[in-house]
Amino acid sequence: MSSKLNRRRVLEAGGLTLATAGAAWGAHTLGAASGAEAAGRAQSTDDAIRIGYLPITDASPLLLAHARGLYEDAGVQVEQPVLFRSWASLTEAFISGSVDVIHLLMPMAVYLKYDLGADAQVVAWNHVNGSALTLSPSISNLSELAGQTVAIPAWFSLHNILVQKILKEAGLTPVIRTTADKTQNEVALIVMAPADMIPALANGTIAGFTVADPFNAAAHASGTGTIQRFMGDVWRDHACCVTMMRSSLIEREGGAAQKFVDALVKAQVYARENRVEAAALLSEKKYLPQKPAAILRAMTDHFEEHKEIIKHPSWGGELLQFQPYPYASYTQELVQQMRNTLMDAPTDFLEDLDASAVHGELVNSELVTQAMQAAGGLGTFGLKSLERTEEISA
């Protein structure tokens, strides 16, 4: 498959077209690096590992490991993480070889492997939970979304999968490429850059959005939006973003991949046990551009404030959590869910995919298993087993 076709297919998966990408994301033309991105690439060396990320709290482990010098402590050289403005540009950079490691929406990782043929593997879960459905304060009930528009960050995202489940449970019908018909209880879904979601909600362009934090937290704090549902309360401990690594790095001599994952897992332990300090680091070192209060809110638990909307209190789905082990049951269930989700993106590759085989082909669990053992074992992450049953309830 040509790089040109790869780029077009990446844009489709992200919900963008070449004509609208620049306007949708702003800041720079898609396919060309921003100033920060270009600087990051120019400083690359043959041995240093290059990280790409989006400015969301999903990226926290990758960033905290850099902030606290954990990569250096593990004996691996890592460049300053490079910030990208969209999933499309981040994914394109990974495919082109500009970065070696990224955090990526798990459904998009499946897409990269099986439709684009990317030579890469998932080496850990970057986090679990950490997303929500946020609506305009004028909407008090999901039924009021009929005839309205809701934004998602990408077609291949857990946000898309889970918001469609929420809407259907409420008797609403998700639609794409058309205006929602209120009389038919339709809700239009569109892809939008996370940074554009709060302004769009404020001016009435959309009635709601679902995305990773700290955007939900920021909308809540400013009074622009009201959190209607936490996505971790729909699919228990689901992996939204995973850590994806280029195969050449995994195969590199000297154990660079293992050292990298060791540092990543230690950063997850730190984030679990030092949430306030972790939020401060992400702010002070300018890894995330959002206001410190929003980042702090996204990293800490607010169960009491939102307990009236939580359907499964024992799940802890309202809290962004850091658990690195990639469960095979999740990968298999994810493929099934992707098949049943409406997407304005290429999905033909899913038709003949053996859901039970995907995990072994896409995910390398050896590195993270060893890293978890070195970090204290399963109990350090609140886990008891390497097997589980998936729980989904809209």
Side-chain angles (χ1 to χ4, degrees):
M1 181 176 292
S2 71
S3 59
K4 182 177 181 181
L5 180 57
N6 280 351
R7 182 171 184 239
R8 180 178 64 80
R9 298 282 275 187
V10 168
L11 294 174
E12 289 173 348
L16 303 180
T17 64
L18 290 173
T20 62
W25 293 111
H28 62 281
T29 302
L30 198 61
S34 67
E37 290 166 349
R41 295 178 193 183
Q43 295 167 3
S44 66
T45 65
D46 291 337
D47 296 326
I49 296 173
R50 301 160 298 174
I51 298 172
Y53 76 99
L54 256 62
I56 53 180
T57 48
D58 291 4
S60 296
L62 290 168
L63 303 176
L64 290 170
H66 184 268
R68 304 195 72 244
L70 298 180
Y71 296 124
E72 292 179 349
D73 292 346
V76 63
Q77 184 180 0
V78 175
E79 293 183 1
Q80 176 76 26
V82 179
L83 185 154
F84 289 81
R85 297 293 182 183
S86 75
W87 289 116
S89 59
L90 176 63
T91 306
E92 186 182 354
F94 185 71
I95 290 174
S96 69
S98 298
V99 291
D100 306 301
V101 179
I102 58 175
H103 69 106
L104 187 66
L105 298 164
M106 182 59 171
M108 194 168 283
V110 175
Y111 171 69
L112 254 66
K113 177 72 173 181
Y114 291 98
D115 192 59
L116 300 187
D119 188 18
Q121 290 182 301
V122 171
V123 295
W125 283 4
N126 217 52
H127 71 102
V128 297
N129 307 328
S131 298
L133 171 62
T134 297
L135 303 181
S136 166
S138 63
I139 296 177
S140 58
N141 190 286
L142 281 173
S143 63
E144 297 173 36
L145 284 176
Q148 305 273 13
T149 299
V150 171
I152 59 174
W155 294 115
F156 287 118
S157 68
L158 260 294
H159 310 92
N160 185 31
I161 292 171
L162 297 182
V163 77
Q164 290 192 35
K165 285 187 171 296
I166 292 171
L167 294 175
K168 290 175 182 177
E169 180 68 18
L172 300 166
T173 301
V175 296
I176 60 176
R177 292 190 181 184
T178 187
T179 301
D181 186 339
K182 184 176 182 179
T183 65
Q184 297 298 313
N185 289 323
E186 292 179 347
V187 179
L189 298 179
I190 62 169
V191 167
M192 182 176 288
D196 293 336
M197 289 180 177
I198 294 179
L201 189 64
N203 66 29
T205 302
I206 58 175
F209 62 76
T210 176
V211 73
D213 269 318
F215 295 99
N216 304 286
H220 176 89
S222 66
T224 304
T226 301
I227 294 176
Q228 175 71 26
R229 192 79 188 274
F230 291 100
M231 294 309 184
D233 194 42
V234 180
W235 189 336
R236 185 173 189 173
D237 290 338
H238 66 277
C240 180
C241 278
V242 294
T243 302
M244 200 163 194
M245 184 177 288
R246 193 173 306 287
S247 294
S248 59
L249 175 55
I250 298 174
E251 297 163 0
R252 184 187 298 179
E253 293 182 5
Q258 183 64 67
K259 294 173 183 177
F260 184 95
V261 176
D262 286 347
L264 177 73
V265 169
K266 287 182 179 179
Q268 290 180 316
V269 175
Y270 175 79
R272 290 174 66 94
E273 299 178 353
N274 304 274
R275 292 179 176 275
V276 174
E277 295 82 358
L281 273 177
L282 294 171
S283 297
E284 293 168 2
K285 292 186 175 291
K286 308 299 183 184
Y287 292 109
L288 300 182
Q290 297 85 7
K291 293 182 178 180
I295 297 172
L296 176 61
R297 185 177 184 85
M299 293 287 287
T300 51
D301 199 359
H302 294 274
F303 172 80
E304 287 299 323
E305 186 174 352
H306 296 288
K307 61 183 179 182
E308 71 281 354
I309 66 169
I310 296 174
K311 295 187 178 182
H312 308 286
S314 64
W315 290 10
E318 76 286 350
L319 178 63
L320 172 66
Q321 193 55 279
F322 302 98
Q323 183 276 98
Y325 186 74
Y327 283 94
S329 58
Y330 172 79
T331 307
Q332 183 169 342
E333 181 63 33
L334 176 66
V335 174
Q336 301 286 13
Q337 294 294 333
M338 289 173 68
R339 287 183 175 139
N340 299 324
T341 300
L342 187 66
M343 298 184 189
D344 191 8
T347 58
D348 50 301
F349 71 96
L350 291 169
E351 294 177 5
D352 299 321
L353 206 57
D354 181 355
S356 64
V358 171
H359 188 80
E361 296 169 351
L362 174 64
V363 180
N364 180 332
S365 60
E366 295 180 5
L367 300 175
V368 72
T369 299
Q370 183 172 324
M372 290 175 67
Q373 291 173 346
L378 292 175
T380 304
F381 302 92
L383 306 177
K384 297 180 180 179
S385 172
L386 296 183
E387 295 182 357
R388 76 179 198 183
T389 299
E390 300 307 308
E391 298 179 71
I392 306 174
S393 175

